[in-house]
Amino acid sequence: MQNILVTGGAGFIGSNFVHFILAANPTVRVINLDALTYAGSLENLKGLPDENRHEFVQGDICDRSLVDRLLHEHEIDTVVHFAAESHVDRSIHGPDQFVQTNIVGTYTLLEACRQFWLKENFAQNRPVRFHHVSTDEVFGSLKPEDPPFREDTPYAPNSPYSASKAASDHLVRAYFHTYGLPVTISNCSNNYGPRQFPEKLIPLMILNALEGKPLPVYGDGNQIRDWLHVQDHCEAIYSILQDGKAGETYNIGGNNQPTNLEIIRQICALLDELRPESPYRPHFQLKQHVTDRPGHDRRYAMDIRKIERELGWKPRFELASGLRQTVEWYLDNSQWVSAIRQQQEYQAWLMKNYAARGEAK
């Protein structure tokens, strides 16, 4: 692992991984390919541990000639593929971009790596690895009594987003079995932490509460998710890159199952404590139940015993400490928040997604 191509490295998880890998491994070089669509921002790449080992390239993973050039020019031996359209609500409003980026983009990367690593024999001289970052949403929804998702749980995606990620997972797995491309896949639970685009639940609640805006709660708010701190996620991916077995899939989760309402309650309690002068205390009074998302999955839970057993990884962040660290980061980084929220597309999306919902009936 010398020259890493990180796709989507200006987004939330990708940028956190770039920060992490440059600090964790002082010899790697990172080529960061990102289209800088709405959720990607160069703000996320400020203050990197060693900028001399990082090169940013603005471009589309569907651009085969660009991907080919980067692989050859930089002798890429490792691809960590984060780039994806990832918001379920956006996939409901416009699924076409999800099919293009998540399926066609992944195919383009796989084909380019197959050409360079296998057909041109680059992999004869050094180990190579294609790591595909995916989601627990490909498994569908769990009933209250169901056991957590395992790596061999059958796929049952329920949204255009999760269906597109499921398709990309199948492509990656097929390239291992059909062509012998050295791949690994990870399916993670809901991530949270610094630099998350503020359309997602946790940053949206933090920032709305600070300004006294309604805290939109889908349906009854009792949907259950497993929450994974992004730093833990980065460490898990690094463990897979170092010791994971080609062709294998690993579940990554935070070992918790709160309801969305419990998450919002904890965030509000932290803001009550950290901003005692706020005129909106108690912040939990700002919650407003709105019409639920169509086909909203009720419960996710992850069985992470495989990665614990085989690679020795487990999450370090408890949910309470992780939420505190996250709230404090948003409070301490108002310039980042301002830069992100000034994007016109962000404001237009909030209006499109939330204004039309109205209060839950």
Side-chain angles (χ1 to χ4, degrees):
M1 185 172 19
Q2 297 176 344
N3 302 315
I4 304 178
L5 175 65
V6 176
T7 72
F12 165 45
I13 306 174
S15 65
N16 274 282
F17 182 77
V18 171
H19 281 265
F20 169 83
I21 195 72
L22 289 172
N25 189 326
T27 63
V28 301
R29 293 178 59 249
V30 174
I31 308 303
N32 186 346
L33 175 60
D34 195 295
L36 292 182
T37 54
Y38 74 92
S41 173
L42 295 179
E43 293 289 325
N44 293 336
L45 298 171
K46 291 183 176 179
L48 290 174
D50 185 352
E51 294 187 1
N52 292 326
R53 291 187 288 120
H54 173 263
E55 180 177 331
F56 180 78
V57 178
Q58 183 173 356
D60 191 335
I61 59 172
C62 295
D63 184 343
R64 175 64 186 272
S65 61
L66 172 61
V67 174
D68 284 340
R69 179 174 66 79
L70 294 177
L71 293 177
H72 287 80
E73 220 173 78
H74 301 282
E75 297 189 332
I76 297 297
D77 55 46
T78 305
V79 173
V80 185
H81 177 32
F82 293 99
E85 296 287 340
S86 66
H87 196 287
V88 174
D89 289 328
R90 286 180 184 265
S91 80
I92 294 169
H93 284 285
D96 53 336
Q97 194 58 47
F98 287 73
V99 172
Q100 187 67 23
T101 300
N102 298 354
I103 302 176
V104 178
T106 301
Y107 161 75
T108 303
L109 291 168
L110 289 166
E111 272 293 283
C113 288
R114 181 165 77 99
Q115 174 67 34
F116 180 49
W117 291 348
L118 303 185
K119 291 185 176 181
E120 298 176 21
N121 297 319
F122 180 79
Q124 284 188 347
N125 302 316
R126 69 172 80 173
V128 297
R129 176 62 59 87
F130 185 105
H131 182 72
H132 178 62
V133 180
S134 191
T135 170
D136 59 358
E137 298 192 33
V138 298
F139 299 121
S141 184
L142 292 170
K143 296 176 182 176
E145 68 279 5
D146 287 342
F149 299 132
R150 301 187 346 165
E151 285 81 0
D152 58 2
T153 298
Y155 278 28
N158 290 319
S159 70
Y161 161 63
S162 56
S164 68
K165 289 299 289 185
S168 67
D169 290 8
H170 292 322
L171 274 175
V172 173
R173 196 171 290 111
Y175 269 67
F176 170 76
H177 288 287
T178 305
Y179 304 114
L181 192 73
V183 308
T184 43
I185 299 172
S186 56
N187 294 91
C188 69
S189 58
N190 284 39
N191 279 229
Y192 71 101
R195 306 182 188 92
Q196 187 169 28
F197 193 71
E199 67 180 353
K200 297 293 180 82
L201 176 69
I202 288 176
L204 181 68
M205 295 301 121
I206 295 169
L207 300 179
N208 275 18
L210 286 171
E211 297 179 355
K213 295 179 179 177
L215 308 181
V217 181
Y218 285 176
D220 62 9
N222 287 320
Q223 304 88 355
I224 293 172
R225 299 293 182 262
D226 178 297
W227 290 93
L228 172 67
H229 193 282
V230 69
Q231 182 74 12
D232 281 333
H233 190 189
C234 292
E235 292 175 5
I237 291 171
Y238 191 45
S239 294
I240 295 169
L241 290 173
Q242 290 179 301
D243 301 315
K245 183 180 176 183
E248 291 294 312
T249 297
Y250 300 91
N251 280 356
I252 307 172
N255 267 347
N256 54 65
Q257 281 197 58
T259 65
N260 285 349
L261 265 180
E262 289 168 355
I263 289 288
I264 296 168
R265 192 184 302 274
Q266 288 189 51
I267 290 170
C268 290
L270 285 165
L271 290 173
D272 290 347
E273 173 195 337
L274 297 170
R275 286 291 183 269
E277 75 284 358
S278 169
Y280 310 114
R281 295 175 70 241
H283 293 90
F284 193 64
Q285 69 180 337
L286 297 170
K287 74 177 174 69
Q288 178 182 346
H289 291 267
V290 298
T291 303
D292 205 354
R293 168 190 291 161
H296 202 176
D297 289 340
R298 196 66 180 169
R299 173 177 168 246
Y300 303 146
M302 295 291 268
D303 183 333
I304 61 172
R305 287 178 293 180
K306 178 179 177 179
I307 192 171
E308 288 181 335
R309 180 179 66 250
E310 296 186 9
L311 305 184
W313 175 88
K314 60 182 179 180
R316 293 189 298 110
F317 279 90
E318 297 284 343
L319 183 60
S321 61
L323 282 176
R324 176 176 290 274
Q325 185 251 29
T326 301
V327 169
E328 289 175 344
W329 188 89
Y330 280 93
L331 294 177
D332 293 340
N333 288 271
S334 57
Q335 286 187 321
W336 180 92
V337 172
S338 296
I340 297 298
R341 296 176 101 185
Q342 283 171 8
Q343 299 175 15
Q344 286 186 341
E345 201 277 347
Y346 166 67
Q347 296 295 340
W349 166 252
L350 289 184
M351 287 295 295
K352 181 178 183 179
N353 191 47
Y354 291 106
R357 287 188 183 273
E359 294 192 30
K361 299 293 189 274

